[in-house]
mmCIF file of all heavy atoms in Angstrom:
data_model
loop_
_atom_site.group_PDB
_atom_site.id
_atom_site.type_symbol
_atom_site.label_atom_id
_atom_site.label_comp_id
_atom_site.label_asym_id
_atom_site.label_seq_id
_atom_site.Cartn_x
_atom_site.Cartn_y
_atom_site.Cartn_z
ATOM 1 N N ALA A 87 152.308 113.266 89.233
ATOM 2 C CA ALA A 87 152.443 113.986 87.976
ATOM 3 C C ALA A 87 153.034 113.109 86.898
ATOM 4 O O ALA A 87 152.569 113.118 85.727
ATOM 5 C CB ALA A 87 153.323 115.242 88.186
ATOM 6 N N ALA A 88 154.024 112.317 87.248
ATOM 7 C CA ALA A 88 154.676 111.440 86.248
ATOM 8 C C ALA A 88 153.686 110.370 85.770
ATOM 9 O O ALA A 88 153.596 110.086 84.567
ATOM 10 C CB ALA A 88 155.904 110.787 86.831
ATOM 11 N N ASP A 89 152.939 109.798 86.710
ATOM 12 C CA ASP A 89 151.940 108.757 86.322
ATOM 13 C C ASP A 89 150.898 109.322 85.363
ATOM 14 O O ASP A 89 150.550 108.692 84.371
ATOM 15 C CB ASP A 89 151.242 108.205 87.572
ATOM 16 C CG ASP A 89 152.162 107.371 88.436
ATOM 17 O OD1 ASP A 89 153.250 106.986 87.958
ATOM 18 O OD2 ASP A 89 151.756 107.059 89.572
ATOM 19 N N LYS A 90 150.420 110.537 85.658
ATOM 20 C CA LYS A 90 149.399 111.158 84.805
ATOM 21 C C LYS A 90 149.954 111.476 83.426
ATOM 22 O O LYS A 90 149.318 111.244 82.407
ATOM 23 C CB LYS A 90 148.875 112.419 85.458
ATOM 24 C CG LYS A 90 147.980 112.181 86.629
ATOM 25 C CD LYS A 90 147.533 113.498 87.251
ATOM 26 C CE LYS A 90 146.691 113.236 88.528
ATOM 27 N NZ LYS A 90 146.321 114.481 89.198
ATOM 28 N N GLU A 91 151.197 111.988 83.379
ATOM 29 C CA GLU A 91 151.794 112.340 82.088
ATOM 30 C C GLU A 91 152.032 111.098 81.243
ATOM 31 O O GLU A 91 151.789 111.096 80.020
ATOM 32 C CB GLU A 91 153.090 113.087 82.302
ATOM 33 C CG GLU A 91 153.657 113.651 81.012
ATOM 34 C CD GLU A 91 154.814 114.586 81.227
ATOM 35 O OE1 GLU A 91 154.973 115.146 82.303
ATOM 36 O OE2 GLU A 91 155.573 114.791 80.255
ATOM 37 N N VAL A 92 152.502 110.018 81.851
ATOM 38 C CA VAL A 92 152.766 108.806 81.104
ATOM 39 C C VAL A 92 151.456 108.178 80.597
ATOM 40 O O VAL A 92 151.369 107.736 79.470
ATOM 41 C CB VAL A 92 153.564 107.784 81.975
ATOM 42 C CG1 VAL A 92 153.536 106.397 81.372
ATOM 43 C CG2 VAL A 92 154.991 108.254 82.130
ATOM 44 N N ALA A 93 150.429 108.206 81.435
ATOM 45 C CA ALA A 93 149.132 107.672 81.012
ATOM 46 C C ALA A 93 148.574 108.481 79.826
ATOM 47 O O ALA A 93 148.039 107.902 78.884
ATOM 48 C CB ALA A 93 148.133 107.691 82.186
ATOM 49 N N ALA A 94 148.718 109.802 79.884
ATOM 50 C CA ALA A 94 148.253 110.647 78.781
ATOM 51 C C ALA A 94 149.036 110.362 77.503
ATOM 52 O O ALA A 94 148.452 110.274 76.415
ATOM 53 C CB ALA A 94 148.366 112.094 79.150
ATOM 54 N N ALA A 95 150.349 110.230 77.622
ATOM 55 C CA ALA A 95 151.187 109.912 76.444
ATOM 56 C C ALA A 95 150.833 108.542 75.878
ATOM 57 O O ALA A 95 150.745 108.379 74.636
ATOM 58 C CB ALA A 95 152.657 109.938 76.829
ATOM 59 N N ALA A 96 150.556 107.566 76.736
ATOM 60 C CA ALA A 96 150.184 106.222 76.279
ATOM 61 C C ALA A 96 148.867 106.252 75.506
ATOM 62 O O ALA A 96 148.686 105.605 74.487
ATOM 63 C CB ALA A 96 150.114 105.268 77.441
ATOM 64 N N GLU A 97 147.940 107.050 76.048
ATOM 65 C CA GLU A 97 146.613 107.146 75.382
ATOM 66 C C GLU A 97 146.765 107.781 74.011
ATOM 67 O O GLU A 97 146.175 107.322 73.026
ATOM 68 C CB GLU A 97 145.663 107.958 76.233
ATOM 69 C CG GLU A 97 144.282 108.057 75.613
ATOM 70 C CD GLU A 97 143.285 108.819 76.488
ATOM 71 O OE1 GLU A 97 143.597 109.102 77.663
ATOM 72 O OE2 GLU A 97 142.201 109.118 75.963
ATOM 73 N N ILE A 98 147.558 108.836 73.929
ATOM 74 C CA ILE A 98 147.792 109.497 72.626
ATOM 75 C C ILE A 98 148.435 108.511 71.647
ATOM 76 O O ILE A 98 148.010 108.427 70.472
ATOM 77 C CB ILE A 98 148.681 110.759 72.809
ATOM 78 C CG1 ILE A 98 147.886 111.839 73.537
ATOM 79 C CG2 ILE A 98 149.182 111.258 71.474
ATOM 80 C CD1 ILE A 98 148.734 113.007 74.029
ATOM 81 N N TYR A 99 149.426 107.747 72.130
ATOM 82 C CA TYR A 99 150.102 106.789 71.258
ATOM 83 C C TYR A 99 149.079 105.739 70.772
ATOM 84 O O TYR A 99 149.060 105.413 69.590
ATOM 85 C CB TYR A 99 151.260 106.103 71.974
ATOM 86 C CG TYR A 99 151.787 104.936 71.167
ATOM 87 C CD1 TYR A 99 152.583 105.176 70.067
ATOM 88 C CD2 TYR A 99 151.430 103.633 71.473
ATOM 89 C CE1 TYR A 99 153.031 104.116 69.290
ATOM 90 C CE2 TYR A 99 151.874 102.572 70.732
ATOM 91 C CZ TYR A 99 152.677 102.818 69.607
ATOM 92 O OH TYR A 99 153.100 101.774 68.820
ATOM 93 N N ALA A 100 148.311 105.205 71.679
ATOM 94 C CA ALA A 100 147.350 104.144 71.332
ATOM 95 C C ALA A 100 146.369 104.635 70.278
ATOM 96 O O ALA A 100 146.073 103.911 69.300
ATOM 97 C CB ALA A 100 146.614 103.639 72.568
ATOM 98 N N ARG A 101 145.845 105.837 70.494
ATOM 99 C CA ARG A 101 144.884 106.389 69.501
ATOM 100 C C ARG A 101 145.546 106.583 68.133
ATOM 101 O O ARG A 101 144.976 106.271 67.086
ATOM 102 C CB ARG A 101 144.285 107.658 70.010
ATOM 103 C CG ARG A 101 143.373 107.481 71.164
ATOM 104 C CD ARG A 101 142.865 108.859 71.695
ATOM 105 N NE ARG A 101 142.198 108.727 72.962
ATOM 106 C CZ ARG A 101 140.887 108.567 73.118
ATOM 107 N NH1 ARG A 101 140.128 108.520 72.032
ATOM 108 N NH2 ARG A 101 140.365 108.459 74.310
ATOM 109 N N ARG A 102 146.780 107.104 68.156
ATOM 110 C CA ARG A 102 147.514 107.343 66.896
ATOM 111 C C ARG A 102 147.835 106.037 66.167
ATOM 112 O O ARG A 102 147.662 105.926 64.968
ATOM 113 C CB ARG A 102 148.805 108.109 67.203
ATOM 114 C CG ARG A 102 149.684 108.409 66.016
ATOM 115 C CD ARG A 102 149.140 109.575 65.248
ATOM 116 N NE ARG A 102 150.062 109.906 64.209
ATOM 117 C CZ ARG A 102 149.715 110.301 63.009
ATOM 118 N NH1 ARG A 102 148.452 110.444 62.719
ATOM 119 N NH2 ARG A 102 150.632 110.566 62.095
ATOM 120 N N ALA A 103 148.253 105.027 66.932
ATOM 121 C CA ALA A 103 148.569 103.716 66.311
ATOM 122 C C ALA A 103 147.319 103.115 65.675
ATOM 123 O O ALA A 103 147.371 102.580 64.555
ATOM 124 C CB ALA A 103 149.140 102.789 67.364
ATOM 125 N N ARG A 104 146.171 103.258 66.344
ATOM 126 C CA ARG A 104 144.953 102.722 65.785
ATOM 127 C C ARG A 104 144.557 103.469 64.535
ATOM 128 O O ARG A 104 144.123 102.871 63.536
ATOM 129 C CB ARG A 104 143.839 102.798 66.837
ATOM 130 C CG ARG A 104 142.568 102.101 66.383
ATOM 131 C CD ARG A 104 141.631 101.978 67.510
ATOM 132 N NE ARG A 104 140.475 101.202 67.042
ATOM 133 C CZ ARG A 104 139.379 101.039 67.729
ATOM 134 N NH1 ARG A 104 139.267 101.560 68.936
ATOM 135 N NH2 ARG A 104 138.378 100.324 67.248
ATOM 136 N N ARG A 105 144.667 104.809 64.557
ATOM 137 C CA ARG A 105 144.354 105.627 63.378
ATOM 138 C C ARG A 105 145.242 105.260 62.176
ATOM 139 O O ARG A 105 144.845 105.334 61.024
ATOM 140 C CB ARG A 105 144.483 107.133 63.640
ATOM 141 C CG ARG A 105 143.263 107.758 64.278
ATOM 142 C CD ARG A 105 143.283 109.280 64.215
ATOM 143 N NE ARG A 105 144.542 109.869 64.721
ATOM 144 C CZ ARG A 105 144.735 110.275 65.950
ATOM 145 N NH1 ARG A 105 143.804 110.144 66.879
ATOM 146 N NH2 ARG A 105 145.907 110.783 66.310
ATOM 147 N N LEU A 106 146.468 104.881 62.488
ATOM 148 C CA LEU A 106 147.402 104.485 61.399
ATOM 149 C C LEU A 106 147.140 103.073 60.908
ATOM 150 O O LEU A 106 147.786 102.612 59.965
ATOM 151 C CB LEU A 106 148.827 104.580 61.928
ATOM 152 C CG LEU A 106 149.356 106.010 62.155
ATOM 153 C CD1 LEU A 106 150.685 105.985 62.866
ATOM 154 C CD2 LEU A 106 149.436 106.765 60.841
ATOM 155 N N GLY A 107 146.216 102.377 61.560
ATOM 156 C CA GLY A 107 145.833 101.048 61.132
ATOM 157 C C GLY A 107 146.707 99.909 61.651
ATOM 158 O O GLY A 107 146.658 98.806 61.156
ATOM 159 N N LEU A 108 147.507 100.225 62.681
ATOM 160 C CA LEU A 108 148.358 99.151 63.257
ATOM 161 C C LEU A 108 147.506 98.216 64.112
ATOM 162 O O LEU A 108 146.593 98.658 64.830
ATOM 163 C CB LEU A 108 149.433 99.757 64.136
ATOM 164 C CG LEU A 108 150.427 100.699 63.485
ATOM 165 C CD1 LEU A 108 151.401 101.255 64.476
ATOM 166 C CD2 LEU A 108 151.155 100.000 62.346
ATOM 167 N N ASP A 109 147.795 96.928 64.019
ATOM 168 C CA ASP A 109 147.087 95.987 64.897
ATOM 169 C C ASP A 109 147.743 96.051 66.290
ATOM 170 O O ASP A 109 148.789 96.634 66.487
ATOM 171 C CB ASP A 109 147.122 94.569 64.341
ATOM 172 C CG ASP A 109 148.503 93.975 64.212
ATOM 173 O OD1 ASP A 109 149.320 94.097 65.157
ATOM 174 O OD2 ASP A 109 148.787 93.359 63.164
ATOM 175 N N HIS A 110 147.065 95.480 67.256
ATOM 176 C CA HIS A 110 147.496 95.518 68.678
ATOM 177 C C HIS A 110 148.909 95.046 68.857
ATOM 178 O O HIS A 110 149.740 95.654 69.506
ATOM 179 C CB HIS A 110 146.516 94.699 69.520
ATOM 180 C CG HIS A 110 146.781 94.740 70.988
ATOM 181 N ND1 HIS A 110 147.675 93.891 71.611
ATOM 182 C CD2 HIS A 110 146.294 95.559 71.949
ATOM 183 C CE1 HIS A 110 147.709 94.179 72.902
ATOM 184 N NE2 HIS A 110 146.892 95.176 73.127
ATOM 185 N N GLY A 111 149.241 93.915 68.228
ATOM 186 C CA GLY A 111 150.565 93.322 68.379
ATOM 187 C C GLY A 111 151.669 94.213 67.825
ATOM 188 O O GLY A 111 152.748 94.342 68.427
ATOM 189 N N THR A 112 151.418 94.805 66.676
ATOM 190 C CA THR A 112 152.434 95.674 66.055
ATOM 191 C C THR A 112 152.639 96.948 66.900
ATOM 192 O O THR A 112 153.775 97.389 67.109
ATOM 193 C CB THR A 112 152.003 96.064 64.629
ATOM 194 O OG1 THR A 112 151.827 94.829 63.873
ATOM 195 C CG2 THR A 112 153.037 96.926 63.959
ATOM 196 N N ALA A 113 151.527 97.497 67.382
ATOM 197 C CA ALA A 113 151.612 98.711 68.209
ATOM 198 C C ALA A 113 152.383 98.394 69.520
ATOM 199 O O ALA A 113 153.246 99.184 69.969
ATOM 200 C CB ALA A 113 150.228 99.262 68.527
ATOM 201 N N LEU A 114 152.081 97.256 70.101
ATOM 202 C CA LEU A 114 152.748 96.870 71.348
ATOM 203 C C LEU A 114 154.225 96.597 71.122
ATOM 204 O O LEU A 114 155.088 96.966 71.915
ATOM 205 C CB LEU A 114 152.051 95.655 71.957
ATOM 206 C CG LEU A 114 152.472 95.226 73.361
ATOM 207 C CD1 LEU A 114 152.301 96.396 74.347
ATOM 208 C CD2 LEU A 114 151.656 94.035 73.809
#
Side-chain angles (χ1 to χ4, degrees):
D89 290 346
K90 287 179 185 176
E91 188 171 338
V92 166
E97 183 178 349
I98 290 167
Y99 171 76
R101 290 176 192 267
R102 179 78 174 141
R104 188 170 184 188
R105 275 195 310 267
L106 291 170
L108 300 178
D109 62 45
H110 184 273
T112 303
L114 190 56

